[in-house]
Amino acid sequence: MESQTSGGGRASAPRRPFFRRRKSCPFSGPNAPKIDYKDVKLLQRFIS
């Protein structure tokens, strides 16, 4: 019979909690750029 822990590879290693990065708005903060809808270069990474 197969063992029940044969699903994940590292069965004996303790699991660390998943570190979640806090989402932050690039337009809020002390050095935030002014939002201009005509500035395509600034907004390029936010549009698809």
Side-chain angles (χ1 to χ4, degrees):
M1 285 187 102
E2 293 181 27
S3 65
Q4 292 183 1
T5 59
S6 65
R10 293 184 290 173
S12 62
R15 286 190 158 233
R16 277 194 259 165
F18 181 72
F19 177 72
R20 289 185 186 252
R21 182 181 294 217
R22 226 183 140 135
K23 293 183 181 177
S24 64
C25 179
F27 297 109
S28 63
N31 296 326
K34 187 177 178 198
I35 300 173
D36 183 11
Y37 72 95
K38 295 178 195 171
D39 190 4
V40 179
K41 198 169 191 177
L42 177 66
L43 301 174
Q44 189 70 41
R45 53 186 261 219
F46 301 105
I47 58 176
S48 59

